[in-house]
Amino acid sequence: MLVFEGVFAGYGGSDVLRGVDLVVEKGSLTCVVGPNGAGKSTLMKLVSGLLHPRVGKLEFQGNSIARAAPRQILKQGIVQVMQARNLFPELTVRENVELGAFLISDDALVKRRYAEVCEMFPIVGERAKDRAGALSGGQQRMVEFARALMLDPLLVSLDEPSMGLEPRAAKIIYDSIVKMHENGRTVLLVEQNVRAGLERATRGIVMEAGRVRLEGTGAEVLANPQMRALYLGGTIEEGAVSSSAAARSGSATYQN
Amino acid sequence: MAVAEAAPELLSPAEIDRAFRDPFSPSKRTKATSWIVLLAVLTAFPLVFTNPAVTSIGVFTMFFLLAVVGWNIFSGYSGYISIGHAVYYGFGQYTVALLIMHLGITSGVSELAIVPLAGLAGAAVAVPVGLLVLRVRRHTFIVLTIAVMFIFQLLAFNFPSITGGSTGLNVTPPPWSGNDYNLPFYYIALGTAAIGLLTSWAVRRSKFGLGLLAIRDDEDRAKGLGIKVTRAKLIALVLSAFFVGIAGGLYAIFIGQVFPQFAFTPFYDLYLAVFAFVGGLGTLSGPVFGALLLGPLQQYFELQFGATTLYLIIYGVLFVVILLALPRGIVPSLADRYRTFLASRWRRAEERRGVEGSGVTAGSMIASAPGAAPAERGGS
């Protein structure tokens, strides 16, 4: 559904992503993890159109989105919930959610979608008239999710949705991500919390130093011994690792 | 946290609803009634107080009311504080003066009939000006609007063949006398202000208005949601300039003279901004309150102390005091305080009653506020 092929991208001349190849399959919950500086956030910027690849192919459903503006990407059906807080704090919860459907001119459809997201995220209906800035961090995340679903996107990309949340609130956020996925949406998730992210993912991808180093099902990647090496310091050694990774964790493959 | 410490009495769903929604939310009917009463009072005012000195203060106040309602459609909703709306005000003045002069209009009715053209002229000039100044944001925007305003003042000074330069233009005043002279201006300005207010209301309720409010909160986020921000801002500016242009056109005929330094004047926008800030920036009723409270005060100061500009200092002090005491303006701040008061009174009443209901308590609602319940219920 979403394909990266040999993507190089970065800021001001230096590349953060150095040849990323990865595929987000339709209907998957793909979780990208990796240490700081691996290029996860840069990857997300490419998906939302805030940054364009320097070289390489970036396709969504067969169409290139390498040079698409954020608005065009929205129209193609990719909605992103960005890192940190993204609501309009002075507007009400309802207004915030309705802004998610700004591109839809059919008011009846907006109303219907609003009713749908209220059902999925009851907090939206309960606090509809409150200023969004008055909600707690976890509640604001839910409202952001609700806003993202207003366009009925094909792909939802989430940039570290649990960041800054206490464990209980984070769990609720993970649960609603799973729910979004179960409702038939393709989800691309970038997470710092490796275990929480990969446990729920159908597909796990490990990035390091601007490249994809490991991929497999969420559980496979989680079980891979190289993960420990990566997170306790050190890198995944090329060559040597690929055989051991494949041997120890079944189908988890190492990409060169 | 007073709520969390309250005795855990049980509340019915309707009561929870009341507690967590706005406890003070005037019904549509109350709001509509208030507006109608206000309109009736303003309509009756010059008929009750017939002294021309009083009604002329009324006329200036209506001019301000009209302009500040217009100003608010752009600056209030989009958050772009314009100190250059005198461009549209001045353009309205010169448009009317030049048309009256060159078309040889003498009857008061025909003079007033061309006032809408002043609005259109203001709106038309707002397009190029907007395309220029809307390229920047925040403080830079404010400075740029002032700069553009002074450019227009300089142009008016330096093209005497068109504008009369520093000698200005004379507009033949309508041949009416005494109090009759003031009334048409008063009512036309009031009527146009009412139209402006309806426009403002329609904008606030529309998707376009929601887009403007989003821009005010965070323009980049708004852009990320697919809002065409430049177009939205420009449309709001043009709407806004239309009403300010009409205020200029009416003013030119009322005063009978147009000078560059009074048409394109920085004071004008300071007044508009202060009125809107004091009343409540970006609200529907705020600018109305601001203009009705401070408009007459401004006229009084100018009449009493107009020989020097010392009154501007008093004005400045007043502005600072209001900003310190009610930083969001009178209307939003007082509404908030009233809400808090009603909510606490309601809570005390609830504590005394100790109602039995659905099993949800005020305490538990607060405790679970970070959203424990919603996700679980969402699955059903």
Side-chain angles (χ1 to χ4, degrees):
Chain A
M1 186 178 218
L2 180 69
V3 180
F4 289 75
E5 243 180 64
V7 169
F8 286 73
Y11 316 90
S14 68
D15 286 333
V16 177
L17 299 184
R18 303 184 189 104
V20 170
D21 296 308
L22 90 87
V23 177
V24 177
E25 299 287 352
K26 191 169 172 22
S28 69
L29 198 176
T30 302
C31 178
V32 179
V33 298
N36 287 335
K40 306 186 298 292
S41 295
T42 308
L43 192 78
M44 291 312 254
K45 285 202 179 108
L46 291 177
V47 176
S48 61
L50 292 172
L51 184 72
H52 302 306
R54 194 169 59 76
V55 265
K57 202 169 88 174
L58 176 53
E59 282 185 351
F60 182 65
Q61 295 199 308
N63 305 317
S64 172
I65 54 166
R67 295 277 168 263
R71 191 184 160 90
Q72 293 166 314
I73 288 184
L74 273 181
K75 280 190 169 165
Q76 295 219 21
I78 304 180
V79 170
Q80 182 161 115
V81 179
M82 311 229 200
Q83 216 171 30
R85 300 196 177 168
N86 267 296
L87 295 178
F88 298 96
E90 295 298 325
L91 302 187
T92 67
V93 168
R94 180 172 190 145
E95 285 169 337
N96 266 285
V97 173
E98 283 178 346
L99 275 167
F102 201 84
L103 289 174
I104 304 174
S105 46
D106 179 355
D107 288 345
L109 179 61
V110 173
K111 271 210 180 100
R112 207 163 61 235
R113 292 260 173 86
Y114 181 75
E116 284 167 18
V117 300
C118 278
E119 200 176 313
M120 187 160 175
F121 301 104
I123 187 80
V124 173
E126 284 162 18
R127 306 289 298 267
K129 284 185 175 171
D130 288 345
R131 273 182 58 240
L135 269 56
S136 74
Q139 290 170 326
Q140 292 196 19
R141 280 271 120 155
M142 306 292 259
V143 176
E144 283 176 45
F145 284 4
R147 185 173 73 185
L149 294 187
M150 285 298 280
L151 279 180
D152 196 16
L154 300 167
L155 174 70
V156 185
S157 67
L158 308 167
D159 195 358
E160 301 195 7
S162 68
M163 196 174 72
L165 299 182
E166 43 102 2
R168 193 176 50 156
K171 181 174 181 305
I172 292 164
I173 292 299
Y174 291 131
D175 290 348
S176 49
I177 293 169
V178 170
K179 196 158 55 179
M180 273 196 259
H181 175 237
E182 281 167 357
N183 284 2
R185 276 174 229 280
T186 309
V187 179
L188 172 60
L189 169 68
V190 160
E191 253 307 327
Q192 284 270 15
N193 189 334
V194 175
R195 179 164 297 277
L198 291 177
E199 269 174 4
R200 293 167 173 85
T202 60
R203 190 98 193 132
I205 289 171
V206 183
M207 285 184 72
E208 195 222 340
R211 305 188 68 170
V212 173
R213 293 297 187 184
L214 273 177
E215 65 176 294
T217 66
E220 281 164 3
V221 172
L222 201 55
N224 191 305
Q226 297 305 320
M227 287 296 292
R228 178 172 296 185
L230 193 59
Y231 277 93
L232 294 179
T235 61
I236 301 174
E237 287 167 38
E238 307 213 0
V241 178
S242 71
S243 56
S244 62
R248 290 186 209 173
S249 64
S251 64
T253 55
Y254 169 69
Q255 285 191 356
N256 197 11
Chain B
M1 276 292 98
V3 183
E5 289 153 13
E9 70 273 6
L10 302 168
L11 306 177
S12 74
E15 283 160 335
I16 292 165
D17 209 48
R18 258 196 298 157
F20 290 92
R21 299 253 166 92
D22 196 346
F24 168 67
S25 182
S27 65
K28 277 180 190 160
R29 208 163 140 188
T30 317
K31 282 184 188 167
T33 314
S34 316
W35 284 116
I36 290 168
V37 168
L38 182 66
L39 188 65
V41 168
L42 291 179
T43 308
F45 178 81
L47 304 174
V48 177
F49 300 93
T50 51
N51 180 349
V54 176
T55 52
S56 87
I57 289 183
V59 170
F60 284 116
T61 306
M62 287 305 114
F63 287 176
F64 274 129
L65 175 65
L66 163 60
V68 76
V69 164
W71 186 88
N72 186 57
I73 293 176
F74 172 70
S75 288
Y77 292 150
S78 77
Y80 277 71
I81 306 301
S82 166
I83 306 293
H85 265 53
V87 169
Y88 321 118
Y89 183 64
F91 232 75
Q93 291 191 26
Y94 276 102
T95 302
V96 157
L98 291 170
L99 282 174
I100 288 174
M101 202 169 75
H102 293 297
L103 296 177
I105 296 169
T106 47
S107 105
V109 176
S110 347
E111 284 187 359
L112 289 175
I114 62 164
V115 164
L117 294 178
L120 292 179
V125 78
V127 175
V129 170
L131 287 174
L132 174 73
V133 296
L134 287 171
R135 298 170 69 88
V136 296
R137 298 185 190 178
R138 300 178 190 279
H139 311 92
T140 324
F141 175 81
I142 298 177
V143 173
L144 200 56
T145 58
I146 300 172
V148 169
M149 190 270 299
F150 275 114
I151 290 172
F152 274 89
Q153 192 191 79
L154 285 172
L155 287 174
F157 270 123
N158 290 298
F159 282 99
S161 56
I162 303 168
T163 62
S166 54
T167 47
L169 295 174
N170 283 317
V171 183
T172 325
W176 306 320
S177 60
N179 198 33
D180 294 341
Y181 185 85
N182 290 344
L183 287 182
F185 291 100
Y186 183 93
Y187 286 117
I188 289 175
L190 175 61
T192 320
I195 295 171
L197 204 60
L198 282 175
T199 311
S200 184
W201 175 78
V203 166
R204 177 67 188 83
R205 277 178 54 100
S206 70
K207 203 165 140 179
F208 162 64
L210 186 56
L212 287 176
L213 294 181
I215 290 170
R216 181 174 74 182
D217 241 12
D218 190 321
E219 188 163 344
D220 292 323
R221 271 177 219 167
K223 212 187 252 176
L225 291 174
I227 298 169
K228 289 181 173 160
V229 292
T230 306
R231 198 176 70 170
K233 289 182 291 186
L234 192 63
I235 293 173
L237 180 65
V238 167
L239 274 177
S240 164
F242 175 78
F243 292 104
V244 174
I246 288 191
L250 287 170
Y251 180 87
I253 301 173
F254 186 69
I255 294 291
Q257 283 171 323
V258 178
F259 292 107
Q261 69 272 36
F262 300 129
F264 300 107
T265 166
F267 291 127
Y268 190 67
D269 279 282
L270 289 182
Y271 290 138
L272 297 188
V274 170
F275 293 171
F277 266 103
V278 166
L281 191 68
T283 61
L284 190 61
S285 57
V288 176
F289 279 95
L292 294 182
L293 283 175
L294 296 186
L297 199 65
Q298 186 271 344
Q299 282 301 305
Y300 174 79
F301 282 152
E302 196 162 311
L303 290 175
Q304 292 296 311
F305 314 108
T308 69
T309 44
L310 279 179
Y311 73 95
L312 288 172
I313 296 175
I314 306 176
Y315 229 71
V317 170
L318 191 72
F319 184 41
V320 170
V321 167
I322 288 176
L323 273 186
L324 288 175
L326 306 166
R328 293 169 57 210
I330 292 173
V331 170
S333 302
L334 290 186
D336 273 1
R337 283 184 194 188
Y338 188 53
R339 276 189 197 114
T340 318
F341 164 72
L342 281 186
S344 67
R345 203 178 63 169
W346 173 79
R347 224 158 39 219
R348 280 198 301 276
E350 285 301 302
E351 280 166 26
R352 277 198 299 277
R353 276 204 298 156
V355 203
E356 296 203 4
S358 66
V360 183
T361 66
S364 73
M365 279 297 283
I366 298 289
S368 67
E376 286 156 22
R377 264 181 275 158
S380 57

